[in-house]
Amino acid sequence: MKSVIIIEDELSIADLIALHLKDMGCQVMIFTNGAEGFEHASRSSFDLLILDINLPGMNGLEICHRIRGARITSPILMLTARTEEIDKVLGLETGADDYITKPFGIREFLARVKAIFRRSDLDKEDAAAEQKGISIKDLTIDHKKRKVEMSGRRIELTPKEYDLLYLLASNPGVTFDRRELLSKVWGYDFEGYEHTVNSHINRLRGKIEKDPNHPEYVLTTWGVGYRFTELPS
C-alpha cells in the first residue's frame, strides 16, 4: 500500500484526488495548511507528496525546498493554478519530481501518479541491486566498490571495461547493439567507432572468461550486438 500526503487548501480538489488514490489502494492523509502539512511530512515516511503551491501557513515551494533540505527523497508532485513557466521551473529546481497545472483531468493526474510510482519502484530496485551487487556463477560485482571478482580472485578492469561489464550484467539477456553501448558507456554515438566496443569486449572476455573463444558470460547476439548470460547464480 502506497502512503500519500496531500497538502492542498482547496478541499474539493483534495477530496477528489484522495478518492481516486484510495481506489488505487493508497493510504491518504490531507492537510489544508502548509505549515501543518510540512510538519507531518517532515516526521513521516511517505511514497508521494502531492503539494499545492499557493497554501496558507507555508507555500508549496518552501515546503518542497525544506523537504529536500531534510534529505527526504520521496517523490513530490506539485499542483499549481499558475501558468507562468518560472513557477514550473522553480518547482522542479526546489526538488519536485513532476508538476501538473490546474485545472487538470483526473485521468491525466492518475497517469502522472502511476508514472511516479513506477519510477520510484524502479529506483528502489536499482538501489537494492546496487547494494546487493551482482553474482552469477563464479563472477561477482560489487558496484559500490567497483570491484569484480572471479572465484574470489579480484579482476582488474579499466573504467570503461567495468562500465561495459556492469551495464551488460545489470540487464541479463538484453541485447545491446554496438551504437547503444557506445552511447551508454562512452557517451557518444558516431558511426565507424563500433570497433571500440568490439576491442573492449574482447579484452573484457580475456579477463573474465575461462575460454574467451567460448564465453560463458558476455555473449554475442549474431548480427546485432552483445548480451549478458541469463544463467542463475
Side-chain angles (χ1 to χ4, degrees), residues 67-127:
I67 288 289
R68 292 304 186 228
R71 299 181 182 271
I72 299 171
T73 60
S74 300
I76 297 175
L77 173 63
M78 303 287 290
L79 307 180
T80 175
R82 304 179 185 181
T83 57
E84 292 89 344
E85 188 67 24
I86 187 64
D87 293 312
K88 299 172 184 176
V89 171
L90 281 173
L92 295 176
E93 286 187 348
T94 53
D97 295 86
D98 199 0
Y99 65 85
I100 188 167
T101 303
K102 302 175 187 176
F104 51 80
I106 197 64
R107 292 177 67 181
E108 180 189 2
F109 170 79
L110 293 175
R112 297 284 188 96
V113 169
K114 289 175 183 177
I116 288 172
F117 283 156
R118 282 196 299 270
R119 289 196 301 268
S120 180
D121 289 343
L122 286 174
D123 287 344
K124 289 176 183 176
E125 289 174 10
D126 289 344

Side-chain angles (χ1 to χ4, degrees), residues 130-217:
E130 181 173 321
Q131 190 69 27
K132 183 179 179 182
I134 297 171
S135 180
I136 299 181
K137 296 199 288 185
D138 296 326
L139 178 71
T140 59
I141 303 172
D142 184 335
H143 189 51
K144 194 171 183 179
K145 297 180 179 178
R146 291 179 67 90
K147 182 172 72 173
V148 177
E149 292 183 339
M150 179 62 70
S151 300
R153 179 176 63 86
R154 184 156 188 165
I155 305 296
E156 297 297 336
L157 301 178
T158 67
K160 290 304 181 194
E161 288 169 352
Y162 176 86
D163 291 342
L164 184 59
L165 174 63
Y166 186 72
L167 174 63
L168 292 170
S170 299
N171 299 275
V174 177
T175 295
F176 293 89
D177 65 37
R178 292 166 181 81
R179 293 192 64 176
E180 283 181 294
L181 293 173
L182 270 175
S183 176
K184 292 178 181 294
V185 175
W186 280 266
Y188 55 80
D189 184 17
F190 301 120
E191 290 187 21
Y193 282 78
E194 287 85 352
H195 65 277
T196 299
V197 174
N198 296 341
S199 61
H200 275 74
I201 289 288
N202 290 336
R203 287 200 294 270
L204 184 58
R205 283 173 170 168
K207 294 180 178 182
I208 69 170
E209 303 285 0
K210 294 177 183 177
D211 181 358
N213 293 320
H214 298 89
E216 299 177 56
Y217 299 98

Side-chain angles (χ1 to χ4, degrees), residues 2-18:
K2 302 289 188 184
S3 174
V4 182
I5 298 173
I6 301 171
I7 310 179
E8 165 61 72
D9 63 332
E10 294 185 56
L11 198 54
S12 59
I13 293 177
D15 286 340
L16 176 64
I17 61 180

Side-chain angles (χ1 to χ4, degrees), residues 12-88:
S12 59
I13 293 177
D15 286 340
L16 176 64
I17 61 180
L19 178 65
H20 287 277
L21 288 169
K22 289 175 181 177
D23 285 344
M24 288 175 55
C26 297
Q27 182 181 22
V28 183
M29 290 197 68
I30 297 173
F31 295 87
T32 57
N33 179 278
E36 293 174 2
F38 168 73
E39 183 66 23
H40 179 80
S42 63
R43 294 183 288 103
S44 305
S45 175
F46 57 89
D47 297 294
L48 176 62
L49 174 60
I50 298 172
L51 184 59
D52 189 27
I53 286 187
N54 291 317
L55 290 166
M58 184 185 300
N59 70 56
L61 293 175
E62 180 65 19
I63 294 172
C64 186
H65 179 72
R66 291 193 183 190
I67 288 289
R68 292 304 186 228
R71 299 181 182 271
I72 299 171
T73 60
S74 300
I76 297 175
L77 173 63
M78 303 287 290
L79 307 180
T80 175
R82 304 179 185 181
T83 57
E84 292 89 344
E85 188 67 24
I86 187 64
D87 293 312
K88 299 172 184 176

